[in-house]
């Protein structure tokens, strides 16, 4: 590994692998270590911490000693912990996350079925929240202290203080069920209606119709973060000399903002989009619960009610793992976006 | 020559600093508003046993009809078993505040200890602590909190633990950065030269310098801890025998209050959370402004 790295290093004056390669290798290596830690944590949380997972899973139903023993055998819980851990890691590497207790099906299969809806909901909401947040942050910072700034900041802070699921329940009641004479405008649950006419367009429209309320809830709670960061980072650029230069060249104020200030202020915000994926994941769990959106969040909710430990373990590893992968991506992307980081 | 020992001495200087801080804090309208709201809410929560009768929270002893809209007898209507929503919200404030504050304190203690140790000791201790901090910083806190409160036995303590051990990394990062700054100052070097041990240095010199910042951050942590508590209770992971704003919203959803259009059942607990969280956030931001003069002017 080091040999090939040194062969690549022909231009640089310093010894050792080139900084970029070293940087990428370090970040990816760190990510792999983190992923391994997630797996260890998943094992610890759902196998070690409960003491007897079989008893935890059956705490709401009366079971006999034989049934418990059979359950323990089925999940491999009758083996010593280190053997369980070895099997767990080996299976994980093969993409086997065990068998769900309630569904009696492979956990990996269940998760694969549910990833699509979560990516659709989370992705749409993130894109919308980023667009809204960046636009509002720019507007607020440009007229700092003005009425627009005050309004945007207070509305953002207020929505930020509201629990996601409560906002969802309110929207569900106001626009899904309908209040007073107002009829419900949007579906209250699920991702599609059973009675949709055939055809791709009709089906897409139906999903979009179902997507409106959950997406709106998620956007309302997460956009404020992007707005505040964009605002702060633009305010830091405001006094910069290159803006004075741009103005001295005779550029109109909106061009100064759009071409000079905003691109620089965007840098820290871009990484933040990835770094706040954890927020989207957390929001998705509650939003999917409220709107019965058939994604990973609803699967988590179904699993924790029993509790179905193998299934919970699976969703935990997949959700935490994807956030870690996104973070590594964010750090790599930032390096390419910001020349200052690239050189240091 | 910055502060010559005069008649008032150390106490006088601290008093002057406090007065100045209070002046800056008061100038922040949001901070003043948040503090006022919090004082009222905390007073009401503490006085709940004096001002109301808790007996009416007992499902077996209620007289009201289920899910009634607001009326002269029940100002905020009734829940699915006929209890007054006003009374539930009032008592729910106690649990939400208690869990929010305790979890924030737990998170503050873990974060401060990790941050102090990582900055003061360097070497492999720091490397290890920083790696762990970064790992937990990236991990989605709610997912971990859900996992913890699912496998541990149900109860208030579990919820506090689950929120506390998942929300400390930000505090740790902040405390570490601040400790590194403080430790470059001459008075630390002087204390070290005079033979001060680690315990003396950290306890007598570094910690007091870092604490104000920790306090400001903890105020913000309370806000997120209250949201986390309500979310966990809403998912059914709270103590089933306790009334909190989150558990009220859970029963509202489970009993079909949403489809029945029972807005009086949904609004009070949610507004309670929003107002308290917003107040803590405003207070935390105002405190940060007091401590960090650079922020003055960029926020309002």
């Amino acid at each position: 590994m080091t040999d090939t790295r040194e062969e690549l290093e022909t231009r640089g004056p310093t010894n050792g692998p080139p900084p970029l390669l070293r940087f990428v290798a370090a970040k990816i290596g760190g990510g792999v270590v983190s992923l391994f830690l997630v797996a260890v944590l998943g094992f610890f949380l759902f196998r070690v911490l409960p003491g007897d997972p079989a008893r935890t899973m059956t705490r709401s139903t009366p079971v006999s000693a034989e049934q418990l023993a059979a359950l323990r055998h089925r999940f491999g819980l009758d083996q010593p912990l280190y053997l369980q851990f070895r099997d767990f890691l080996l299976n994980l590497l093969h993409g086997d996350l065990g068998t769900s207790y309630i569904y009696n099906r492979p956990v990996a299969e269940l998760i694969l079925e549910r990833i699509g809806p979560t990516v659709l909901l989370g992705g749409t909401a993130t894109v919308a929240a980023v667009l809204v947040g960046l636009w509002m942050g720019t507007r607020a910072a440009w007229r700092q202290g003005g009425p627009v700034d005050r309004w945007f900041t207070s509305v953002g802070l207020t929505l930020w203080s509201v629990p996601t699921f409560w906002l969802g329940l309110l929207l569900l009641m106001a626009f899904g069920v309908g209040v007073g004479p107002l009829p419900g405008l949007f579906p209250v649950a699920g991702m599609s209606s059973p009675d949709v006419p055939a055809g791709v367009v009709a089906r897409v429209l139906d999903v979009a119709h179902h997507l409106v309320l959950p997406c709106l809830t998620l956007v309302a709670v997460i956009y404020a973060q992007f707005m505040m960061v964009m605002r702060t980072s633009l305010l830091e650029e405001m006094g910069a000399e290159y803006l004075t230069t741009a103005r001295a060249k005779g550029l109109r104020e909106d061009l100064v903002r759009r071409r000079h200030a905003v691109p620089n202020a965007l840098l820290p915000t871009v990484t933040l989009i990835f770094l706040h994926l954890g927020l989207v994941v957390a929001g998705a769990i509650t939003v999917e619960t409220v709107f019965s959106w058939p994604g990973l969040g609803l699967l988590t909710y179904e699993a924790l009610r029993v509790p179905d430990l193998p299934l919970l373990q699976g969703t935990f590893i997949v959700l935490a793992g994807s956030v870690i992968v996104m973070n590594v991506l964010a750090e790599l992307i930032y390096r390419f976006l910001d020349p200052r980081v690239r050189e240091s | 020559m910055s502060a010559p020992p005069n008649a008032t001495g150390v106490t006088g200087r601290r008093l002057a600093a406090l007065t100045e801080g209070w002046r800056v804090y008061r100038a922040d309208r949001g901070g003043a508003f948040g503090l006022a709201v919090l004082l009222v809410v905390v007073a009401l929560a503490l006085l709940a046993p004096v001002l109301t009768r808790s007996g009416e929270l007992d499902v077996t002893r209620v007289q009201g009809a289920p899910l009634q809209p607001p009326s002269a007898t029940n100002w905020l209507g009734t829940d699915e078993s006929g209890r007054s929503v006003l009374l539930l919200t009032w008592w729910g404030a106690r649990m939400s505040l208690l869990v929010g504050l305790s979890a924030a304190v737990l998170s503050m203690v873990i974060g401060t200890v990790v941050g102090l140790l990582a900055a003061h000791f360097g070497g492999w201790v720091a490397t290890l602590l920083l790696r762990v901090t970064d790992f937990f910083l990236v991990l989605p806190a709610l997912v971990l909190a859900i996992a913890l409160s699912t496998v541990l036995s149900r109860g208030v303590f579990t919820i506090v633990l689950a929120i506390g051990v998942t929300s400390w990394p930000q505090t740790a990062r902040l405390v570490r950065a601040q400790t590194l700054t403080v430790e470059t100052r001459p008075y630390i070097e002087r204390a070290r030269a005079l033979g001060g041990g680690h315990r003396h240095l950290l306890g007598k010199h570094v910690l007091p310098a870092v604490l104000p910042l920790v306090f400001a951050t903890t105020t913000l942590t309370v806000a997120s801890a209250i949201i986390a508590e309500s979310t966990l209770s809403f998912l059914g992971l709270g103590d089933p025998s306790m009334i909190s704003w989150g558990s009220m919203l859970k029963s509202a959803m489970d009993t079909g209050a949403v489809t029945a259009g029972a807005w009086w059942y949904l609004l009070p607990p949610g507004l309670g959370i929003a107002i308290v969280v917003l107040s803590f956030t405003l207070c935390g931001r105002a405190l940060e402004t007091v401590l960090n003069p650079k922020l003055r002017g960029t926020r309002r």
Side-chain angles (χ1 to χ4, degrees):
Chain A
M1 197 56 194
T2 30
D3 288 335
T4 49
R5 270 199 224 144
E6 268 159 21
E7 274 162 35
L8 284 168
E9 167 76 327
T10 42
R11 307 167 297 224
T14 50
N15 291 322
L20 178 64
L21 211 64
R22 205 162 49 199
F23 173 80
V24 172
K27 286 297 163 209
I28 291 180
V32 170
V33 172
S34 293
L35 285 179
F36 176 73
L37 285 180
V38 165
V40 174
L41 194 61
F43 181 81
F44 175 77
L45 279 173
F46 299 102
R47 288 280 182 92
V48 184
L49 208 56
D52 186 355
R55 209 172 273 282
T56 309
M57 284 196 281
T58 52
R59 70 180 162 206
S60 48
T61 41
V63 279
S64 65
E66 294 85 56
Q67 280 172 311
L68 267 181
L71 205 60
R72 278 188 203 116
H73 183 69
R74 198 178 119 203
F75 289 104
L77 299 170
D78 45 0
Q79 303 214 13
L81 267 183
Y82 71 93
L83 278 183
Q84 285 186 43
F85 185 60
R86 192 199 63 189
D87 291 346
F88 164 78
L89 279 185
L90 284 177
N91 289 338
L92 194 62
L93 284 176
H94 291 108
D96 180 1
L97 290 165
T99 311
S100 159
Y101 173 60
I102 35 172
Y103 288 96
N104 209 6
R105 283 176 55 198
V107 170
E109 217 177 279
L110 287 165
I111 288 178
L112 273 182
E113 280 171 15
R114 302 291 193 99
I115 277 186
T118 297
V119 170
L120 177 67
L121 173 62
T124 321
T126 308
V127 170
V130 166
L131 292 179
V132 171
L134 295 190
W135 181 78
M136 285 190 163
T138 312
R139 287 291 306 273
W142 207 251
R143 294 262 177 274
Q144 192 206 342
V148 173
D149 184 18
R150 278 210 300 274
W151 258 104
F152 281 2
T153 311
S154 8
V155 171
L157 266 184
T158 310
L159 283 176
W160 175 246
S161 309
V162 162
T164 321
F165 62 89
W166 182 61
L167 198 64
L169 288 176
L170 288 188
L171 288 177
L172 187 66
M173 190 163 70
F175 299 108
V177 180
V179 176
L182 210 76
L185 299 171
F186 296 99
V188 292
M191 194 168 113
S192 51
S193 317
D195 53 344
V196 182
V200 181
V201 180
R203 211 159 308 139
V204 168
L205 280 178
D206 180 51
V207 172
H209 195 207
H210 282 80
L211 185 63
V212 173
L213 287 184
C215 192
L216 202 63
T217 316
L218 212 47
V219 170
V221 181
I222 53 180
Y223 89 91
Q225 191 79 7
F226 300 126
M227 182 184 85
M228 295 316 280
V229 171
M230 186 63 195
R231 181 176 174 275
T232 319
S233 112
L234 194 58
L235 281 181
E236 274 167 20
E237 300 290 332
M238 291 289 271
E241 281 163 5
Y242 66 86
L243 291 186
T244 319
T245 313
R247 285 194 189 102
K249 284 195 306 189
L251 279 185
R252 285 202 321 271
E253 194 64 13
D254 63 315
L255 282 182
V256 174
R257 172 172 62 184
R258 193 145 32 105
R259 292 215 196 128
H260 294 268
V262 170
N264 278 309
L266 267 179
L267 287 172
T269 323
V270 168
T271 21
L272 205 88
I273 297 169
F274 285 92
L275 291 180
H276 280 81
L277 205 83
L279 205 71
V280 179
V281 165
I285 294 179
T286 48
V287 169
E288 286 181 8
T289 304
V290 169
F291 291 97
S292 308
W293 185 263
L296 283 179
L298 188 65
L299 192 65
T300 309
Y301 179 64
E302 287 163 2
L304 67 84
R305 295 212 304 176
V306 175
D308 183 344
L309 294 182
L311 188 52
L312 261 183
Q313 189 181 43
T315 55
F316 173 82
I317 289 175
V318 168
L319 288 178
S322 51
V323 171
I324 283 173
V325 169
M326 284 297 171
N327 269 276
V328 173
L329 278 181
E331 281 174 343
L332 293 179
I333 289 175
Y334 193 63
R335 168 102 177 176
F336 289 102
L337 282 182
D338 193 339
R340 284 167 296 188
V341 183
R342 203 156 52 211
E343 268 148 33
S344 64
Chain B
M1 202 43 212
S2 54
N6 52 25
T8 40
V10 178
T11 332
R13 273 207 316 272
R14 287 203 179 134
L15 202 67
L18 271 182
T19 323
E20 169 64 12
W22 173 238
R23 198 185 57 74
V24 177
Y25 185 94
R26 250 187 344 193
D28 187 311
R29 286 219 312 266
F33 167 81
L35 189 63
V37 170
L38 284 182
L39 286 178
V40 172
V41 172
V42 169
L44 281 176
L46 286 176
L47 289 176
V50 184
L51 297 176
T52 63
R53 275 163 293 167
S54 63
E56 286 169 30
L57 289 173
D58 191 341
V59 189
T60 53
R61 279 160 52 191
V62 287
Q63 284 111 34
L67 280 186
Q68 286 303 301
S71 62
T73 40
N74 287 308
W75 293 351
L76 291 178
T78 59
D79 76 341
E80 75 278 358
S81 32
R83 293 178 292 182
S84 155
V85 172
L86 176 65
L87 202 63
L88 285 169
T89 311
W90 197 329
W91 280 80
R94 293 164 67 87
M95 193 38 63
S96 296
L97 284 173
L98 178 73
V99 173
L101 287 171
S102 328
V105 168
L106 179 62
S107 147
M108 174 184 91
V109 171
I110 304 177
T112 310
V113 169
V114 171
L116 273 183
L117 294 183
H120 185 76
F121 289 104
W124 65 269
V125 178
T127 316
L128 185 73
L129 286 176
L130 278 181
R131 268 231 65 105
V132 172
T133 310
D134 281 347
F135 175 69
F136 278 100
L137 193 66
V138 170
L139 216 60
L142 181 68
V143 179
L144 186 58
I146 286 176
L148 276 173
S149 34
T150 309
V151 294
L152 300 174
S153 57
R154 296 284 147 89
V156 180
F157 183 71
T158 299
I159 294 279
V160 170
L161 192 75
I163 300 172
V165 300
T166 52
S167 58
W168 57 269
Q170 286 89 345
T171 313
R173 289 300 288 268
L174 212 70
V175 169
R176 176 180 168 266
Q178 185 72 7
T179 308
L180 287 176
T181 324
V182 169
E183 291 211 337
T184 58
R185 291 189 190 151
Y187 75 91
I188 300 286
E189 203 182 331
R190 176 184 160 275
R192 192 169 297 174
L194 287 174
H198 291 305
R199 185 194 288 259
H200 173 81
L201 276 177
L202 285 179
K204 285 272 178 200
H205 296 288
V206 178
L207 193 61
V210 176
L211 266 187
L213 191 76
V214 170
F215 191 60
T217 321
T218 306
T219 317
L220 293 173
T221 312
V222 180
S224 54
I226 289 178
I227 295 227
E229 186 275 332
S230 70
T231 307
L232 290 177
S233 300
F234 176 72
L235 293 173
L237 296 167
D239 187 336
S241 62
M242 294 293 198
I243 299 159
S244 81
W245 287 333
S247 70
M248 282 177 74
L249 288 168
K250 177 182 173 48
S251 8
M253 187 179 81
D254 286 353
T255 55
V258 179
T259 29
W263 53 268
W264 60 89
Y265 194 5
L266 279 183
L267 282 181
L271 282 178
I273 299 170
I275 289 172
V276 169
V277 169
L278 183 62
S279 302
F280 273 112
T281 310
L282 289 175
C283 285
R285 284 164 63 94
L287 278 176
E288 277 183 341
T289 323
V290 172
L291 296 172
N292 186 355
K294 262 199 253 167
L295 288 174
R296 277 173 218 168
T298 64
R299 288 177 168 180
R300 44 187 55 247

